[in-house]
C-alpha cells in the first residue's frame, strides 16, 4: 500500500487576546494564582498538537508596575508562548486595555489577510477583579468598540469577573452574561480555555460559538 | 462505478464529549450506472448538529434515487429541483420533529455521478474534487472550494434561512474518472488554495483504492485507514469524512496526467483555470513580523478570486457550452508546454514514467469512455472482477473505535450510511461481479426504465451472478436489508459483507 502524505496547510490560526487585570488589588494570592494559571495554559496548549500550532496568544496587562495598559506579549503561536511573571500594582485602566486588545485583533486580521492566512473568529477575554479607573470617555469608547466588534462578529468577547468585581461595568462590554469565577480558579479556567480554543467550533456568521460547560471554574453559566 | 466512504470522530469531539457530527451516505446502482454520495458536516456550535447532518444525507439520497429511478435521463434542471426539494424536505422534517433549525446546522457536499457527467452540490465548507477526462483525452481536476465567512470557522448551512443563496449546483459534462468528497476535517490534506491539488495525497489514495479493488479488499478499509490515520491529528481535531467515487474497477490514477494536471476551480458553475503559485511560509511568528505596509507589495497574490459571498444561487445553470469547460486553444498550448517540460526533465533524469504517460500512453488498465478498450484490457478487467467476486464473502466486519465506513463496490448496488437513518431506509442490494463488467460494456446503451429492480438480461456473465443476503449481525444503528427478490440469482446466497455500515461514536 502506497504511503499517503498527510501534509496540512498549517495556515489557520485561532487568535486569542487576554486582557488581564494586574492592578494593586490583585496583589498576593490572586496574582500568583493568575501566573500559575498562565503556566497551566501553556502546558494545556502544549499537550494538544493542533492547539500548539494553531492558537495565537496575545496578552494585554492592565495596571501593574507601569500603571497603564500594555501589550505584554504580542501574538505568538502557542508553541512559542512563554508565560511571563505578572506583577500586581497600580490602578485598573481596563478600557484602555480593551481598546488596545481590539486594535491588536484588527492588526492580526490585516496581517493574516496579507499573508492569505485563514483565522477563526478572534477571542477576547477580559478578566478583572475591580472597576475600571479610565476616564469616562475612554471607558465609553471601549464599550462602543466592544459592542461594535461583538455585533459586527469581529470578535467573540468574554467578560470574566474575579472575586467581588463590579459586574455591571464588565457587563457593558458584552451582550453575553458576565461569567463569575468561583474563587480564584485561574488554572481551571485556562485548562478550559485551551480546550475551547483548540475546538474553535464551526459556526455561522450570525451566531456565537457554543462553549463547553464552564462548571470547572465558573458558577454563572453565562450566555 | 465504485463508491465508498468513511468517517472518523475528531479528537476535540472525543475530548469534549461531543458526538460525531459528520455524516455521509453513498449509493451505487450498477444497472443504471449512477452513484450518489453525500457528506454533511454538522456545526460544532449547534446543539443537534449530528441530527441535521444525518437528516440531509438520508433525504438527499432518497430523493435523488427516486429521481434517477423515475427518469431515463436525469436533466440538470430536474436535478436542481430535486436538490432544492430535498433540502426543503430535510428542513421541514427537522422542524416536524421539534428541532430548531439553528440547532441542526450542517453543510452539504454531494454528487450524482454518471460515467459521462456529474452534478455537484455544495453548500458551506468541505471540498469536492472531480477528476475528468477532457475531450482531448487529457485528465483534469475540477475543484469545488469551501465557502467561508470572514473567519475560517464561519460557514453556511442548509438550515439557515438564506440557504438557497449559498447553494452551489454545478453540472460537469465530462467523463468522470474519480470524485473525492470530504468534510473540512480532510480538506487541507487534499487541497491548498495556493498550490492546488495535493498530489502526494491524492495519488497514493487512488493507487491504494485501485489496489483494493484488484485484490478484493474493501474500499472502506482504505478510506477508514485514511480518515483515522494518526498523522491527521497533527493538523486537525475535527471530524473527518472522505467519500470516493471511482470509475469502474480500474481507476485511472493522476499518474497518467503527470505533474501537469490541469486544474479548474468551479466558479458560478463554470471552470476557471487554476494557476498554482508558490506557497508562502506558514504565518511568521511575532519575532519575524514586519508591518503590513512593508510587505504588502512583495507578497504573492492569491491566484484566484475568492468566491463572492452570497452569489451562489441554485440557478447556476449548466455551462453555456462545451467550450466553457475546456478551450481547445488552452489545452493545446498546455500540452505543448507539458510535452517540452516533460521531455526536459526526462532527459535530466528526473522524469521517467510520469512524462511518458503525458505522451498519451494509457496504461493497459485504463478504459476510455467505457467502450474503446483493447481485448487485453478487457481480459484484465474481467480477471480483476473475478477476483473481486470471489472475495466478496471474505470481507470481514471492521470495527474501529470512532470510525464508520461504507462502500459500494462496482459489483454491487449498495446504499450505506454511517449512522442511524431517521428514515430507516438503509439498504444493501448486492449483485454480481459480472454485472459490473456489464456496466462497462453496456455503457452506450440507453438506461433501462426501472432498472434498479429489473432482472438483468441474460448474458454469459450471468452464470456468475450471486445474490447476497442479509448479514447475520449488523452493527448498531444500521439496517441492511435483503436484496430485491426480483434480482436474478443463479448462485447460492452468500453472506453480505458486514464491513460497510457501522456507526460508532454517537
Amino acid at each position: 500500500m502506497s504511503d499517503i502524505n498527510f501534509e496540512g496547510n498549517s495556515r489557520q490560526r485561532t487568535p486569542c487576546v487576554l486582557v488581564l487585570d494586574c492592578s494593586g488589588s490583585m496583589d498576593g494570592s490572586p496574582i500568583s494564582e493568575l501566573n500559575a494559571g498562565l503556566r497551566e495554559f501553556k502546558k494545556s496548549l502544549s499537550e494538544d498538537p493542533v492547539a500548539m500550532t494553531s492558537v495565537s496568544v496575545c496578552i494585554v496587562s492592565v495596571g501593574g508596575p507601569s500603571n497603564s495598559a500594555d501589550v505584554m506579549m504580542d501574538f505568538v503561536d502557542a508553541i512559542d508562548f512563554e508565560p511571563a511573571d505578572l506583577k500586581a500594582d497600580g490602578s485598573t485602566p481596563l478600557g484602555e486595555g480593551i481598546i488596545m486588545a481590539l486594535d491588536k485583533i484588527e492588526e492580526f486580521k490585516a496581517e493574516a489577510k496579507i499573508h492569505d492566512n485563514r483565522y477563526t473568529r478572534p477571542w477576547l477575554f477580559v478578566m478583572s477583579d475591580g472597576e475600571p479607573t479610565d476616564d469616562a470617555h475612554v471607558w465609553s469608547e471601549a464599550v462602543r468598540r466592544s459592542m461594535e466588534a461583538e455585533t459586527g462578529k469581529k470578535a467573540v468577547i468574554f467578560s470574566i469577573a474575579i472575586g467581588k468585581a463590579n459586574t455591571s461595568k464588565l457587563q457593558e462590554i458584552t451582550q453575553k452574561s458576565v461569567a463569575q469565577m468561583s474563587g480564584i480558579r485561574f488554572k481551571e479556567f485556562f485548562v478550559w480555555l485551551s480546550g475551547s480554543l483548540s475546538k474553535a467550533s464551526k459556526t455561522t456568521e450570525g451566531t456565537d460559538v457554543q462553549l463547553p460547560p464552564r462548571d470547572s471554574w465558573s458558577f454563572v453559566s453565562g450566555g | 462505478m465504485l463508491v465508498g466512504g468513511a468517517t472518523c470522530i475528531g479528537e476535540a469531539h472525543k475530548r469534549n464529549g461531543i458526538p460525531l457530527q459528520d455524516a455521509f451516505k453513498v449509493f451505487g446502482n450498477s444497472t443504471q450506472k449512477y452513484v450518489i454520495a453525500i457528506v454533511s458536516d454538522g456545526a460544532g456550535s449547534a446543539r443537534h448538529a449530528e441530527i441535521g447532518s444525518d437528516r440531509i444525507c438520508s433525504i438527499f439520497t432518497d430523493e435523488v434515487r427516486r429521481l434517477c429511478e423515475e427518469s431515463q435521463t436525469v436533466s440538470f434542471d430536474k436535478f436542481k429541483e430535486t436538490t432544492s426539494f430535498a433540502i426543503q424536505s430535510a428542513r421541514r422534517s427537522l422542524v416536524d420533529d421539534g428541532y430548531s433549525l439553528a440547532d441542526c446546522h450542517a453543510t452539504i457536499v454531494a454528487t450524482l455521478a454518471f460515467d459521462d457527467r456529474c452534478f455537484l452540490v455544495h453548500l458551506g465548507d468541505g471540498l469536492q474534487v472531480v477528476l475528468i477526462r477532457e475531450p482531448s483525452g487529457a485528465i483534469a481536476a475540477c475543484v469545488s472550494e469551501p465557502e467561508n465567512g470572514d473567519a475560517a470557522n464561519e460557514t453556511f448551512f442548509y438550515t439557515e434561512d438564506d440557504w438557497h443563496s449559498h447553494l452551489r449546483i454545478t453540472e460537469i459534462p465530462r467523463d468522470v474518472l474519480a470524485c473525492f468528497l470530504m468534510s473540512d476535517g480532510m480538506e487541507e490534506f487534499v487541497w491548498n488554495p495556493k498550490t492546488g491539488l495535493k498530489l502526494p495525497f491524492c495519488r497514493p489514495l487512488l493507487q491504494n483504492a485501485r489496489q483494493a479493488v484488484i485484490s478484493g479488499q474493501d474500499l472502506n478499509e482504505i478510506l477508514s485507514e485514511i480518515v483515522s490515520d494518526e498523522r491527521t491529528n497533527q493538523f486537525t481535531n475535527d471530524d473527518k469524512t472522505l467519500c470516493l467515487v471511482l470509475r469502474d474497477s480500474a481507476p485511472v490514477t493522476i499518474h497518467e496526467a503527470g505533474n501537469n494536471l490541469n486544474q479548474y476551480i468551479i466558479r458560478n458553475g463554470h471552470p476557471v483555470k487554476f494557476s498554482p503559485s508558490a506557497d508562502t511560509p506558514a504565518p511568521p511568528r511575532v519575532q519575524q513580523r514586519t508591518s503590513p505596509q512593508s510587505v504588502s507589495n512583495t507578497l504573492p497574490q492569491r491566484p484566484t478570486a475568492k468566491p463572492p459571498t452570497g452569489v451562489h444561487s441554485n440557478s447556476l445553470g449548466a455551462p453555456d457550452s462545451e467550450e466553457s469547460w475546456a478551450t481547445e486553444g488552452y489545452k493545446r498550448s498546455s500540452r505543448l508546454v507539458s510535452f517540452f517540460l516533460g521531455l526536459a526533465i526526462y532527459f535530466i533524469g528526473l522524469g521517467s514514467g510520469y512524462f511518458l504517460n503525458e505522451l498519451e500512453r494509457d496504461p493497459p488498465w485504463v478504459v476510455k469512455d467505457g467502450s474503446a478498450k483493447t481485448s487485453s484490457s478487457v481480459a484484465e478487467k474481467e480477471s480483476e472482477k473475478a477476483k473481486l467476486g470471489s472475495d466478496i464473502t471474505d470481507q470481514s466486519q471492521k470495527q474501529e473505535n470512532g470510525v464508520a465506513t461504507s462502500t459500494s463496490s462496482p459489483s454491487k448496488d449498495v446504499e450505506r450510511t454511517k449512522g442511524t437513518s431517521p428514515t430507516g431506509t438503509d439498504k444493501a442490494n448486492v449483485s454480481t461481479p459480472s454485472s459490473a463488467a456489464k456496466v462497462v460494456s453496456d455503457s452506450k446503451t440507453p438506461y433501462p426504465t426501472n432498472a434498479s429492480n429489473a432482472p438483468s438480461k441474460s448474458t454469459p456473465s450471468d452464470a456468475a451472478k450471486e445474490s447476497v443476503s442479509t448479514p447475520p449481525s449488523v452493527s448498531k444503528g444500521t439496517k441492511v436489508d435483503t436484496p430485491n427478490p426480483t434480482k436474478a440469482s443463479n448462485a447460492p446466497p452468500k453472506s453480505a459483507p458486514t464491513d460497510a455500515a457501522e456507526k460508532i461514536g454517537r
Side-chain angles (χ1 to χ4, degrees):
Chain A
M1 180 159 158
S2 307
D3 200 22
I4 293 178
N5 185 334
F6 291 93
E7 180 68 54
N9 291 338
S10 302
R11 313 186 65 82
Q12 186 166 304
R13 291 291 183 272
T14 301
C16 173
V17 185
L18 304 171
V19 177
L20 304 175
D21 186 346
C22 302
S23 62
S25 57
M26 289 283 287
D27 202 14
S29 119
I31 200 76
S32 59
E33 286 295 322
L34 179 56
N35 284 323
L38 284 174
R39 287 193 292 274
E40 196 65 32
F41 187 39
K42 157 80 182 170
K43 186 164 162 270
S44 298
L45 289 172
S46 308
E47 286 165 1
D48 182 332
V50 175
M52 197 161 66
T53 53
S54 68
V55 174
S56 276
V57 188
C58 169
I59 295 178
V60 174
S61 64
V62 169
S66 68
N67 197 19
S68 62
D70 300 297
V71 178
M72 203 192 79
M73 187 185 78
D74 204 342
F75 277 109
V76 62
D77 285 347
I79 195 169
D80 295 333
F81 168 43
E82 289 302 334
D85 214 23
L86 298 170
K87 293 195 171 25
D89 202 359
S91 58
T92 315
L94 201 59
E96 197 186 330
I98 290 167
I99 293 169
M100 203 171 270
L102 290 167
D103 286 344
K104 289 308 294 179
I105 285 175
E106 287 312 308
E107 201 180 293
F108 181 93
K109 285 185 181 180
E111 192 166 346
K113 278 175 182 157
I114 288 167
H115 290 274
D116 209 6
N117 296 328
R118 300 171 76 195
Y119 53 85
T120 60
R121 196 186 295 171
W123 292 30
L124 170 58
F125 284 85
V126 178
M127 306 177 81
S128 176
D129 73 336
E131 280 195 46
T133 54
D134 306 277
D135 290 344
H137 73 276
V138 175
W139 178 251
S140 60
E141 175 65 4
V143 169
R144 189 191 66 76
R145 289 276 307 272
S146 302
M147 295 314 276
E148 184 188 79
E150 194 170 56
T151 53
K153 305 298 169 194
K154 293 177 181 167
V156 187
I157 300 175
F158 299 91
S159 208
I160 298 163
I162 305 163
K164 293 175 182 171
N166 181 348
T167 53
S168 66
K169 280 286 179 190
L170 285 170
Q171 187 63 74
E172 289 176 23
I173 60 166
T174 175
Q175 290 169 336
K176 294 188 288 295
S177 309
V178 174
Q180 182 97 42
M181 188 173 277
S182 40
I184 304 170
R185 299 197 179 171
F186 286 109
K187 274 190 190 172
E188 290 83 353
F189 166 76
F190 281 113
V191 168
W192 169 89
L193 177 58
S194 68
S196 304
L197 282 171
S198 169
K199 190 169 143 250
S201 59
K202 189 181 296 192
T203 183
T204 62
E205 283 195 306
T207 56
D208 271 329
V209 289
Q210 190 183 348
L211 297 167
R214 313 169 187 177
D215 307 341
S216 60
W217 59 273
S218 163
F219 60 80
V220 175
S221 60
Chain B
M1 279 207 185
L2 177 74
V3 63
T7 185
C8 177
I9 189 168
E11 288 298 309
H13 286 229
K14 269 194 216 166
R15 264 202 308 272
N16 295 303
I18 301 165
L20 172 68
Q21 291 168 323
D22 276 8
F24 75 92
K25 197 161 185 176
V26 295
F27 174 79
N29 181 313
S30 64
T31 317
Q32 276 182 296
K33 294 165 290 185
Y34 69 83
V35 158
I36 302 166
I38 176 167
V39 173
S40 178
D41 182 352
S45 60
R47 206 169 305 154
H48 302 297
E50 69 279 7
I51 306 283
S53 59
D54 198 67
R55 190 66 53 95
I56 189 64
C57 287
S58 296
I59 292 181
F60 176 84
T61 310
D62 290 348
E63 291 301 332
V64 175
R65 272 185 70 181
R66 187 170 300 138
L67 171 71
C68 293
E69 281 163 18
E70 284 169 359
S71 328
Q72 286 210 354
T73 307
V74 177
S75 74
F76 184 46
D77 284 342
K78 272 279 176 209
F79 178 75
K80 284 193 287 187
E81 271 175 35
T82 304
T83 302
S84 293
F85 178 75
I87 293 173
Q88 281 163 335
S89 302
R91 289 167 56 93
R92 199 165 37 239
S93 90
L94 289 170
V95 173
D96 288 348
D97 287 354
Y99 293 108
S100 148
L101 285 174
D103 285 341
C104 300
H105 282 333
T107 64
I108 302 174
V109 178
T111 194
L112 167 62
F114 301 92
D115 280 353
D116 58 351
R117 71 206 159 105
C118 67
F119 302 133
L120 313 186
V121 181
H122 207 154
L123 201 167
D125 63 9
L127 186 81
Q128 180 155 201
V129 180
V130 186
L131 291 181
I132 56 164
R133 191 183 290 281
E134 298 186 277
S136 65
I139 294 176
C142 294
V143 178
S144 182
E145 283 197 302
E147 184 189 3
N148 290 107
D150 180 47
N153 59 334
E154 291 166 359
T155 189
F156 305 94
F157 307 108
Y158 81 89
T159 36
E160 290 184 276
D161 290 344
D162 63 343
W163 60 272
H164 46 273
S165 61
H166 296 284
L167 176 64
R168 297 171 274 161
I169 309 182
T170 307
E171 179 182 28
I172 299 185
R174 289 285 179 269
D175 274 5
V176 178
L177 302 175
C179 197
F180 305 77
L181 298 88
M182 69 211 75
S183 61
D184 71 332
M186 287 304 291
E187 207 175 282
E188 63 181 320
F189 305 114
V190 177
W191 176 250
N192 181 320
K194 278 176 178 289
T195 57
L197 207 59
K198 295 192 168 180
L199 297 181
F201 180 91
C202 299
R203 274 197 183 116
L205 169 60
L206 287 178
Q207 267 182 331
N208 293 342
R210 177 179 173 249
Q211 219 40 58
V213 173
I214 291 172
S215 65
Q217 196 190 353
D218 199 315
L219 179 58
N220 285 338
E221 286 175 28
I222 300 294
L223 295 174
S224 68
E225 276 172 29
I226 291 168
V227 295
S228 57
D229 195 297
E230 279 296 313
R231 288 171 289 175
T232 58
N233 298 333
Q234 297 294 314
F235 301 97
T236 183
N237 48 27
D238 201 0
D239 293 343
K240 294 156 286 181
T241 303
L242 178 64
C243 287
L244 180 62
V245 175
L246 283 175
R247 176 76 167 274
D248 305 325
S249 59
V252 176
T253 72
I254 309 178
H255 282 273
E256 197 188 347
N259 288 328
N260 300 307
L261 182 76
N262 291 341
Q263 297 183 33
Y264 300 95
I265 292 184
I266 296 165
R267 297 256 186 272
N268 297 330
H270 297 279
V272 175
K273 176 73 180 132
F274 174 80
S275 309
S277 63
D279 198 9
T280 50
R285 307 237 165 92
V286 66
Q287 292 83 353
Q288 296 106 45
R289 278 185 187 215
T290 45
S291 73
Q293 290 75 17
S294 66
V295 294
S296 60
N297 295 332
T298 56
L299 285 164
Q301 294 300 303
R302 194 185 170 115
T304 48
K306 192 180 181 229
T309 309
V311 300
H312 313 290
S313 77
N314 59 353
S315 63
L316 294 179
D320 297 333
S321 64
E322 292 287 296
E323 285 72 34
S324 68
W325 276 100
T327 52
E328 283 301 322
Y330 160 71
K331 276 188 296 184
R332 245 179 263 121
S333 66
S334 149
R335 291 158 70 78
L336 208 61
V337 168
S338 36
F339 173 79
F340 284 115
L341 189 66
L343 209 61
I345 299 177
Y346 180 75
F347 280 126
I348 60 172
L350 298 173
S352 76
Y354 291 173
F355 298 102
L356 285 176
N357 285 333
E358 186 59 14
L359 304 178
E360 289 301 301
R361 280 182 43 184
D362 284 338
W365 44 269
V366 172
V367 182
K368 282 189 181 178
D369 302 324
S371 56
K373 47 188 179 285
T374 64
S375 56
S376 67
S377 74
V378 175
E380 192 174 331
K381 279 171 71 66
E382 288 296 338
S383 87
E384 285 170 15
K385 291 192 164 89
K387 272 190 212 165
L388 178 65
S390 66
D391 284 339
I392 280 181
T393 54
D394 296 333
Q395 294 170 359
S396 57
Q397 184 157 357
K398 187 173 173 62
Q399 193 87 22
E400 255 179 67
N401 193 22
V403 182
T405 60
S406 171
T407 193
S408 168
S409 85
S411 57
K412 307 169 195 171
D413 288 0
V414 180
E415 176 185 354
R416 294 277 204 276
T417 181
K418 90 162 165 136
T420 311
S421 163
T423 50
T425 54
D426 307 341
K427 286 186 180 121
N429 294 331
V430 183
S431 69
T432 81
S434 52
S435 70
K438 202 165 168 295
V439 171
V440 176
S441 58
D442 282 352
S443 65
K444 292 295 181 193
T445 61
Y447 298 146
T449 44
N450 196 21
S452 63
N453 292 335
S456 302
K457 284 175 192 161
S458 185
T459 67
S461 58
D462 272 348
K465 251 185 205 311
E466 294 165 359
S467 247
V468 181
S469 64
T470 310
S473 68
V474 182
S475 58
K476 34 179 159 172
T478 307
K479 186 174 66 185
V480 181
D481 292 340
T482 49
N484 192 310
T486 59
K487 230 170 225 315
S489 175
N490 299 333
K494 292 187 177 183
S495 294
T498 54
D499 57 319
E502 294 176 14
K503 194 210 86 185
I504 304 161
R506 283 259 178 103

